[in-house]
Amino acid sequence: MSEENLKAICIYARNQKGVLKDIAGTFADNNANIVMIHLETIHGRSEDVYDELYIEYEGDVHQENLVNALHELSGVRDVIEHVSFSDIYGKRVIIIGGGAQVAQVAMGAVNEADRHNIRGERISVDTIPLVGEKTLSQAIDAVIRLPRVEILVLAGSIMGGTASESVDRVKEAGIPVIALNMAGSVASHADLVVTDPIQAGVFAVMHVSGIAVFDVYRVRGKKF
């Protein structure tokens, strides 16, 4: 799948049995392969509730035919074409950990991303400050389920236990992990350990960039 060829569409459809099946069938009938779908219910009157379906898809699709076919479905109220999230927000850098450390990593990542985005790339930075082994483990595991994630940075003073097991699962899913040089076992499970949080953010963005020369996997297991 090439993210550059993704198309996006937003469908407003009635919240009733069979509508989603009809929509999915219409995409298939028009040679469109759905690669992402997000559904959110819009609460209106109890007898007239609609769902908002954001769908990204690929394939050799005649756009006008697909839109017309969707409009013809009895449960569909409106269809709006969009630019895909990949084209707008691009690759994602996720930063998880303590507030002060997350802020410093984000500073480095945002400043570096700005250099690349101003030249036409699309790299976005998402952060969440968290504490507690269980909370961190859940957040790290959830990274696998997020779309367009290219790298994870763990920023904190101490992380270990089940959080380290979650790091292993993220790496198995093909997402590299950078960790700050901290107490606990997480650092020994990460692909790269960086002492300076600002530099960790810079490294993360350089790794996901299509034009930078830095590659986390070429320095895997090292500390900076």
Side-chain angles (χ1 to χ4, degrees):
M1 179 189 71
S2 173
E3 292 186 349
E4 294 180 356
N5 297 324
L6 290 181
K7 302 179 182 68
I9 208 164
C10 197
I11 303 168
Y12 294 89
R14 292 187 183 279
N15 187 318
Q16 59 189 34
K17 184 173 66 176
V19 171
L20 186 58
K21 174 177 176 290
D22 292 340
I23 290 173
T26 300
F27 275 84
D29 293 342
N30 284 270
N31 199 37
N33 178 46
I34 295 174
V35 297
M36 189 187 108
I37 182 168
H38 173 81
L39 186 150
E40 184 173 355
T41 299
I42 302 172
H43 294 283
R45 302 190 307 275
S46 59
E47 72 277 9
D48 196 25
V49 176
Y50 281 86
D51 288 337
E52 179 186 70
L53 289 88
Y54 171 80
I55 297 175
E56 291 189 359
Y57 58 97
E58 62 181 355
D60 185 13
V61 183
H62 192 290
Q63 190 79 351
E64 185 176 353
N65 289 348
L66 173 61
V67 172
N68 290 339
L70 289 168
H71 272 295
E72 291 173 1
L73 297 177
S74 60
V76 172
R77 183 183 69 183
D78 199 7
V79 180
I80 303 173
E81 297 178 53
H82 290 290
V83 177
S84 73
F85 284 150
S86 296
D87 289 332
I88 298 172
Y89 294 108
K91 303 170 182 176
R92 299 173 74 182
V93 175
I94 306 295
I95 306 169
I96 298 174
Q101 292 92 341
V102 164
Q104 290 297 301
V105 174
M107 181 185 300
V110 169
N111 285 339
E112 183 67 17
D114 183 61
R115 291 200 314 112
H116 295 278
N117 291 346
I118 204 169
R119 292 171 173 80
E121 286 198 87
R122 287 293 181 269
I123 300 171
S124 56
V125 180
D126 298 290
T127 68
I128 181 168
L130 293 171
V131 295
E133 181 181 333
K134 181 179 179 181
T135 304
L136 285 167
S137 298
Q138 291 173 340
I140 295 168
D141 279 324
V143 168
I144 300 171
R145 305 195 298 272
L146 294 173
R148 308 184 325 279
V149 175
E150 295 287 331
I151 195 165
L152 168 64
V153 183
L154 295 175
S157 300
I158 180 171
M159 293 184 190
T162 56
S164 297
E165 298 170 7
S166 297
V167 168
D168 290 337
R169 287 190 285 270
V170 170
K171 290 167 59 181
E172 288 172 4
I175 300 172
V177 179
I178 295 176
L180 296 187
N181 194 7
M182 66 179 88
S185 59
V186 156
S188 63
H189 287 252
D191 291 296
L192 177 65
V193 177
V194 183
T195 300
D196 181 0
I198 293 179
Q199 189 63 50
V202 172
F203 277 158
V205 171
M206 289 179 66
H207 174 80
V208 306
S209 168
I211 59 176
V213 295
F214 180 78
D215 186 343
V216 165
Y217 293 123
R218 295 183 65 180
V219 291
R220 173 182 279 172
K222 294 188 177 182
K223 292 184 179 182
F224 291 98

